[in-house]
Amino acid sequence: MRRKKVLLVDDSHTVLMLHQMMMVERGYETLIARDGLEALARVEVEAPDLVVLDIHMPHLDGLQTCRALREREPTRHTPIILCSTRMEPASVQAGFDSGCTDYLTKPFAGSELAALLNRYLGSERGTRGD
């Protein structure tokens, strides 16, 4: 069985490192993109099973990237978790309006992200994610 691929998209090197360590620990194959344009190029080649997408990035923000991912056939139904420091209802609604599957407010605990990974992908370590 192939390992599930998670695309991490964030312009912060620190955030990418932390999330990548969590993904490797959980047994997922990890792909990295530092902005929305790079993310769109990666999905054409890699076909991730889930995308963790920061909202505030240069070139193409997370909302624009999410909309673009939803317009493409390979990622039309791929789970997308948007991450943002903005927690007010209008920002969360804008995230869901862009097509995200779920929304996490930064800073979030690793257990929150782990729960969403289990929900959408199941555990790669053999434990059930229900």
Side-chain angles (χ1 to χ4, degrees):
M1 183 168 113
R2 91 170 169 84
R3 290 187 331 167
K4 298 221 168 104
K5 292 182 192 178
V6 177
L7 174 61
L8 303 174
V9 188
D10 202 302
D11 59 331
S12 165
H13 180 70
T14 304
V15 169
L16 286 173
M17 272 187 6
L18 289 170
H19 290 173
Q20 187 172 24
M21 286 187 330
M22 174 191 270
M23 299 303 152
V24 169
E25 183 180 284
R26 299 188 67 78
Y28 298 113
E29 182 179 339
T30 308
L31 312 167
I32 300 288
R34 289 177 175 73
D35 62 48
L37 293 175
E38 189 179 341
L40 294 176
R42 293 297 306 260
V43 300
E44 291 297 317
V45 176
E46 301 285 351
D49 297 294
L50 182 137
V51 178
V52 178
L53 180 60
D54 185 37
I55 289 183
H56 300 286
M57 297 182 297
H59 309 300
L60 197 62
D61 72 24
L63 298 175
Q64 295 165 316
T65 304
C66 189
R67 282 191 288 275
L69 290 170
R70 288 295 179 235
E71 291 171 1
R72 296 168 181 225
E73 192 50 51
T75 51
R76 188 174 312 269
H77 303 291
T78 302
I80 299 172
I81 301 169
L82 277 179
C83 303
S84 177
T85 56
R86 309 286 300 267
M87 66 172 71
E88 63 276 1
S91 293
V92 175
Q93 187 62 51
F96 282 104
D97 288 347
S98 75
C100 77
T101 313
D102 230 311
Y103 190 99
L104 271 179
T105 304
K106 292 180 180 181
F108 51 82
S111 59
E112 291 177 86
L113 181 55
L116 292 177
L117 291 169
N118 282 339
R119 178 183 301 160
Y120 298 115
L121 298 177
S123 173
E124 290 295 291
R125 286 203 214 140
T127 58
R128 292 186 51 199
D130 28 29

